[in-house]
PDB file of all heavy atoms in Angstrom:
ATOM      1  N   HIS A 137     -23.299   4.129 -15.851  1.00  0.00           N
ATOM      2  CA  HIS A 137     -23.718   3.100 -14.893  1.00  0.00           C
ATOM      3  C   HIS A 137     -23.632   3.590 -13.450  1.00  0.00           C
ATOM      4  O   HIS A 137     -23.882   2.833 -12.531  1.00  0.00           O
ATOM      5  CB  HIS A 137     -22.855   1.843 -15.058  1.00  0.00           C
ATOM      6  CG  HIS A 137     -23.054   1.160 -16.371  1.00  0.00           C
ATOM      7  ND1 HIS A 137     -24.026   0.214 -16.598  1.00  0.00           N
ATOM      8  CD2 HIS A 137     -22.414   1.312 -17.563  1.00  0.00           C
ATOM      9  CE1 HIS A 137     -23.968  -0.197 -17.860  1.00  0.00           C
ATOM     10  NE2 HIS A 137     -22.995   0.457 -18.468  1.00  0.00           N
ATOM     11  N   ARG A 138     -23.211   4.832 -13.249  1.00  0.00           N
ATOM     12  CA  ARG A 138     -23.055   5.443 -11.927  1.00  0.00           C
ATOM     13  C   ARG A 138     -22.194   4.572 -11.007  1.00  0.00           C
ATOM     14  O   ARG A 138     -22.482   4.406  -9.821  1.00  0.00           O
ATOM     15  CB  ARG A 138     -24.433   5.721 -11.301  1.00  0.00           C
ATOM     16  CG  ARG A 138     -25.184   6.818 -12.050  1.00  0.00           C
ATOM     17  CD  ARG A 138     -26.503   7.180 -11.384  1.00  0.00           C
ATOM     18  NE  ARG A 138     -27.491   6.127 -11.516  1.00  0.00           N
ATOM     19  CZ  ARG A 138     -28.048   5.467 -10.489  1.00  0.00           C
ATOM     20  NH1 ARG A 138     -27.705   5.767  -9.253  1.00  0.00           N
ATOM     21  NH2 ARG A 138     -28.937   4.537 -10.701  1.00  0.00           N
ATOM     22  N   PHE A 139     -21.129   4.016 -11.567  1.00  0.00           N
ATOM     23  CA  PHE A 139     -20.193   3.260 -10.740  1.00  0.00           C
ATOM     24  C   PHE A 139     -19.471   4.231  -9.799  1.00  0.00           C
ATOM     25  O   PHE A 139     -19.065   5.317 -10.213  1.00  0.00           O
ATOM     26  CB  PHE A 139     -19.165   2.530 -11.608  1.00  0.00           C
ATOM     27  CG  PHE A 139     -19.758   1.421 -12.434  1.00  0.00           C
ATOM     28  CD1 PHE A 139     -19.489   1.319 -13.784  1.00  0.00           C
ATOM     29  CD2 PHE A 139     -20.590   0.461 -11.847  1.00  0.00           C
ATOM     30  CE1 PHE A 139     -20.028   0.295 -14.547  1.00  0.00           C
ATOM     31  CE2 PHE A 139     -21.141  -0.572 -12.603  1.00  0.00           C
ATOM     32  CZ  PHE A 139     -20.857  -0.653 -13.962  1.00  0.00           C
ATOM     33  N   ASP A 140     -19.347   3.839  -8.536  1.00  0.00           N
ATOM     34  CA  ASP A 140     -18.657   4.730  -7.594  1.00  0.00           C
ATOM     35  C   ASP A 140     -17.325   4.157  -7.110  1.00  0.00           C
ATOM     36  O   ASP A 140     -16.534   4.864  -6.492  1.00  0.00           O
ATOM     37  CB  ASP A 140     -19.569   5.095  -6.412  1.00  0.00           C
ATOM     38  CG  ASP A 140     -20.124   3.873  -5.687  1.00  0.00           C
ATOM     39  OD1 ASP A 140     -19.805   2.735  -6.083  1.00  0.00           O
ATOM     40  OD2 ASP A 140     -20.885   4.059  -4.721  1.00  0.00           O
ATOM     41  N   ALA A 141     -17.081   2.889  -7.400  1.00  0.00           N
ATOM     42  CA  ALA A 141     -15.768   2.308  -7.089  1.00  0.00           C
ATOM     43  C   ALA A 141     -15.376   1.425  -8.268  1.00  0.00           C
ATOM     44  O   ALA A 141     -16.182   0.627  -8.743  1.00  0.00           O
ATOM     45  CB  ALA A 141     -15.828   1.474  -5.814  1.00  0.00           C
ATOM     46  N   VAL A 142     -14.159   1.598  -8.751  1.00  0.00           N
ATOM     47  CA  VAL A 142     -13.707   0.869  -9.928  1.00  0.00           C
ATOM     48  C   VAL A 142     -12.408   0.151  -9.570  1.00  0.00           C
ATOM     49  O   VAL A 142     -11.382   0.791  -9.349  1.00  0.00           O
ATOM     50  CB  VAL A 142     -13.486   1.830 -11.116  1.00  0.00           C
ATOM     51  CG1 VAL A 142     -13.024   1.063 -12.350  1.00  0.00           C
ATOM     52  CG2 VAL A 142     -14.753   2.639 -11.410  1.00  0.00           C
ATOM     53  N   PHE A 143     -12.480  -1.179  -9.496  1.00  0.00           N
ATOM     54  CA  PHE A 143     -11.273  -1.967  -9.200  1.00  0.00           C
ATOM     55  C   PHE A 143     -10.363  -2.010 -10.420  1.00  0.00           C
ATOM     56  O   PHE A 143     -10.816  -2.332 -11.517  1.00  0.00           O
ATOM     57  CB  PHE A 143     -11.649  -3.420  -8.874  1.00  0.00           C
ATOM     58  CG  PHE A 143     -12.283  -3.622  -7.535  1.00  0.00           C
ATOM     59  CD1 PHE A 143     -13.631  -3.927  -7.434  1.00  0.00           C
ATOM     60  CD2 PHE A 143     -11.529  -3.540  -6.377  1.00  0.00           C
ATOM     61  CE1 PHE A 143     -14.227  -4.144  -6.202  1.00  0.00           C
ATOM     62  CE2 PHE A 143     -12.112  -3.760  -5.134  1.00  0.00           C
ATOM     63  CZ  PHE A 143     -13.461  -4.058  -5.050  1.00  0.00           C
ATOM     64  N   GLY A 144      -9.093  -1.716 -10.198  1.00  0.00           N
ATOM     65  CA  GLY A 144      -8.107  -1.853 -11.264  1.00  0.00           C
ATOM     66  C   GLY A 144      -6.991  -2.775 -10.802  1.00  0.00           C
ATOM     67  O   GLY A 144      -6.706  -2.889  -9.614  1.00  0.00           O
ATOM     68  N   GLY A 145      -6.337  -3.418 -11.772  1.00  0.00           N
ATOM     69  CA  GLY A 145      -5.276  -4.373 -11.430  1.00  0.00           C
ATOM     70  C   GLY A 145      -3.898  -3.739 -11.345  1.00  0.00           C
ATOM     71  O   GLY A 145      -2.900  -4.441 -11.347  1.00  0.00           O
ATOM     72  N   GLY A 146      -3.834  -2.407 -11.279  1.00  0.00           N
ATOM     73  CA  GLY A 146      -2.544  -1.710 -11.258  1.00  0.00           C
ATOM     74  C   GLY A 146      -1.696  -2.127 -10.062  1.00  0.00           C
ATOM     75  O   GLY A 146      -2.207  -2.390  -8.985  1.00  0.00           O
ATOM     76  N   ARG A 147      -0.390  -2.207 -10.320  1.00  0.00           N
ATOM     77  CA  ARG A 147       0.548  -2.545  -9.245  1.00  0.00           C
ATOM     78  C   ARG A 147       1.567  -1.420  -9.126  1.00  0.00           C
ATOM     79  O   ARG A 147       1.993  -0.855 -10.116  1.00  0.00           O
ATOM     80  CB  ARG A 147       1.268  -3.865  -9.553  1.00  0.00           C
ATOM     81  CG  ARG A 147       0.365  -5.045  -9.867  1.00  0.00           C
ATOM     82  CD  ARG A 147       1.202  -6.316  -9.964  1.00  0.00           C
ATOM     83  NE  ARG A 147       2.431  -6.075 -10.709  1.00  0.00           N
ATOM     84  CZ  ARG A 147       2.594  -6.313 -12.007  1.00  0.00           C
ATOM     85  NH1 ARG A 147       1.606  -6.800 -12.714  1.00  0.00           N
ATOM     86  NH2 ARG A 147       3.731  -6.053 -12.596  1.00  0.00           N
ATOM     87  N   ARG A 148       2.000  -1.147  -7.902  1.00  0.00           N
ATOM     88  CA  ARG A 148       2.935  -0.048  -7.717  1.00  0.00           C
ATOM     89  C   ARG A 148       4.308  -0.352  -8.309  1.00  0.00           C
ATOM     90  O   ARG A 148       5.079   0.550  -8.582  1.00  0.00           O
ATOM     91  CB  ARG A 148       3.074   0.280  -6.234  1.00  0.00           C
ATOM     92  CG  ARG A 148       1.821   0.930  -5.652  1.00  0.00           C
ATOM     93  CD  ARG A 148       2.059   1.237  -4.188  1.00  0.00           C
ATOM     94  NE  ARG A 148       0.882   1.813  -3.565  1.00  0.00           N
ATOM     95  CZ  ARG A 148       0.452   1.466  -2.350  1.00  0.00           C
ATOM     96  NH1 ARG A 148       1.083   0.534  -1.661  1.00  0.00           N
ATOM     97  NH2 ARG A 148      -0.594   2.047  -1.829  1.00  0.00           N
ATOM     98  N   ASP A 149       4.613  -1.619  -8.509  1.00  0.00           N
ATOM     99  CA  ASP A 149       5.934  -1.946  -9.057  1.00  0.00           C
ATOM    100  C   ASP A 149       5.989  -1.740 -10.570  1.00  0.00           C
ATOM    101  O   ASP A 149       7.051  -1.786 -11.156  1.00  0.00           O
ATOM    102  CB  ASP A 149       6.328  -3.396  -8.719  1.00  0.00           C
ATOM    103  CG  ASP A 149       5.745  -4.415  -9.696  1.00  0.00           C
ATOM    104  OD1 ASP A 149       4.560  -4.275 -10.054  1.00  0.00           O
ATOM    105  OD2 ASP A 149       6.476  -5.332 -10.101  1.00  0.00           O
TER     106      ASP A 149
END
Side-chain angles (χ1 to χ4, degrees):
Chain A
H137 294 273
R138 292 184 290 118
F139 292 131
D140 55 0
V142 180
F143 287 109
R147 307 188 317 265
R148 290 181 182 138
D149 84 317

